[in-house]
Amino acid sequence: MPYLHHVQTSIVQTIKRTTMQRRNFILNAALSLGALSLEDQRLFAAGPAGRRRAGQAEDPWKMRPLRRDVGIFTEKGGTIAWLVSKKGIVVVDAEFPEQAGHLIGELKKQSDQPFELLINTHHHGDHTAGNIAFKGLVKDVAAHGNSLANQQRVAVAQKTEDKQLYPNITYTDGWNYRIGHEHIRAYYFGPGHTNGDSIIHFQHANVAHMGDLMFNRRWAFIDRSAGASISNWIVALDKAIHTFDSGTLFVFGHAFDPEKVTGGKEDLKAMQNYLTQLQAFANQAFHAGRSKEDFVKEKAIPGVTEWQGDGIERGLQAAYEEVAASQVP
Ligand SMILES: [Zn+2]
Ligand SMILES: [Zn+2]
């Protein structure tokens, strides 16, 4: 069907060139012809919220300014935060190499300033694999000492050491960094999602990147192989709730709804409730003599109504193992 293919191609090309109003008209015409591919239909059916600025319809990523010089980037992996100041650029987390490349391109469009600092909230690949895209570009890479140790351990095990850019600055309790008008502070509240999770606070903008201490309304990954602790995760969220003020805007590593990767203290409290209920559920099951194999088949957690997505069983398993490991004979 060469003719139909030609019509389809030319319609798609025309759509890409037109304004939104004209685009909608042609879209309707094209849809009635059945001439658009499924992917094009999905793209255009997304509605105003799903649409990007004119001319950016093909970009799979999203840059969203938040406050002052701070914003976020989302594509694939843990949410990235960025600061573009008159004195330089700071980035928190790096997703994967391809995504980091997209981010770097966007930031270079906004500023000629150098990339001063990259901070990793923790070592997981969806936050550090993109570090390598900053090689030779960024002056410093910072993370908690445990994050670096975890990153090195995993890279050795997976034979991906040549694909890493490791932090050259590490800290234990916390760390401070000044750039222009912004004061950045890294907090460490002990083990949670891993044993190396930092919260990165842009004090002037009052934006705090929670890393994967926050899975907003989505079943969390609890990485016991990297020293995770549900008990202390609940405490760490408590510390965050008491450290930051009511005006703090929080950035979340992950969210079930991609629009909800930012939020407030009520979201931290909801996360804390989910972890508390999960732990209580595992505790009860363990002491009732249930096996882990039986427990991980549960499809819901009592008292948890808003969490969803894939991977409930990973959390159940981690919670059960944590309770079992805490039993002193
Ligand atoms: Zn993550
Ligand atoms: Zn993670």
Side-chain angles (χ1 to χ4, degrees):
M1 298 187 292
Y3 173 70
L4 190 59
H5 181 258
H6 173 75
V7 169
Q8 179 174 341
T9 306
S10 66
I11 286 174
V12 171
Q13 284 169 349
T14 308
I15 286 170
K16 284 176 179 167
R17 282 197 305 267
T18 52
T19 64
M20 194 168 289
Q21 200 177 12
R22 187 159 157 70
R23 193 190 290 167
N24 283 341
F25 170 77
I26 294 177
L27 169 66
N28 291 334
L31 284 178
S32 66
L33 284 171
L36 285 180
S37 71
L38 270 179
E39 176 62 14
D40 288 320
Q41 291 184 35
R42 189 196 59 75
L43 193 66
F44 285 101
R51 263 185 214 123
R52 300 170 211 289
R53 292 197 306 277
Q56 282 201 324
E58 300 84 12
D59 293 346
W61 63 88
K62 197 165 172 183
M63 290 283 282
R64 196 205 302 176
L66 293 178
R67 283 181 182 167
R68 295 184 183 269
D69 303 328
V70 177
I72 55 172
F73 170 96
T74 49
E75 185 179 346
K76 189 177 89 177
T79 311
I80 293 173
W82 45 260
L83 165 83
V84 177
S85 81
K86 291 188 178 75
K87 299 285 182 187
I89 298 171
V90 176
V91 173
V92 181
D93 284 348
E95 296 193 350
F96 300 95
E98 186 186 339
Q99 283 65 41
H102 295 156
L103 168 73
I104 289 165
E106 290 289 341
L107 293 174
K108 280 183 171 173
K109 275 190 233 166
Q110 290 187 28
S111 168
D112 296 330
Q113 291 297 317
F115 286 77
E116 293 288 340
L117 176 68
L118 168 65
I119 312 174
N120 291 138
T121 59
H122 66 296
H123 76 289
H124 284 147
D126 60 316
H127 301 255
T128 63
N131 282 13
I132 195 76
F134 290 87
K135 193 173 183 177
L137 184 68
V138 75
K139 281 184 194 156
D140 291 301
V141 184
H144 189 273
N146 292 346
S147 177
L148 170 60
N150 287 328
Q151 190 182 350
Q152 287 171 322
R153 175 179 51 78
V154 172
V156 168
Q158 298 182 345
K159 298 189 167 51
T160 56
E161 285 176 282
D162 58 329
K163 297 186 175 68
Q164 308 298 318
L165 177 65
Y166 291 119
N168 60 304
I169 296 169
T170 56
Y171 46 83
T172 49
D173 297 332
W175 189 61
N176 289 287
Y177 182 88
R178 262 190 191 288
I179 180 165
H181 297 302
E182 192 52 87
H183 185 182
I184 298 166
R185 186 159 174 189
Y187 291 87
Y188 179 67
F189 293 144
H193 166 72
T194 69
N195 61 6
D197 308 289
S198 298
I199 299 171
I200 311 301
H201 188 214
F202 296 89
Q203 293 187 336
H204 200 54
N206 200 5
V207 172
H209 194 321
M210 295 294 293
D212 281 3
L213 290 173
M214 279 299 297
F215 276 70
N216 190 24
R217 272 73 177 179
R218 175 176 167 180
W219 302 121
F221 176 36
I222 301 163
D223 190 355
R224 284 179 53 76
S225 75
S229 163
I230 298 168
S231 298
N232 196 68
W233 192 338
I234 295 164
V235 174
L237 287 170
D238 221 43
K239 287 178 181 168
I241 287 164
H242 290 100
T243 298
F244 304 108
D245 63 38
S246 57
T248 306
L249 179 62
F250 295 93
V251 175
F252 310 140
H254 302 277
F256 180 76
D257 177 346
E259 294 293 315
K260 294 185 178 159
V261 289
T262 62
K265 277 193 190 179
E266 65 279 8
D267 299 308
L268 273 62
K269 287 178 186 158
M271 177 80 193
Q272 203 179 24
N273 176 66
Y274 147 57
L275 292 171
T276 304
Q277 303 293 347
L278 168 63
Q279 191 178 45
F281 192 33
N283 208 39
Q284 183 199 50
F286 181 84
H287 287 105
R290 288 179 66 188
S291 70
K292 184 169 78 178
E293 291 66 31
D294 176 45
F295 181 62
V296 298
K297 290 178 190 148
E298 293 286 350
K299 297 290 173 230
I301 298 167
V304 180
T305 54
E306 296 180 302
W307 260 248
Q308 52 189 316
D310 297 329
I312 185 175
E313 68 286 350
R314 293 185 309 180
L316 291 167
Q317 181 179 335
Y320 188 98
E321 288 174 358
E322 186 171 319
V323 171
S326 71
Q327 304 304 308
V328 182

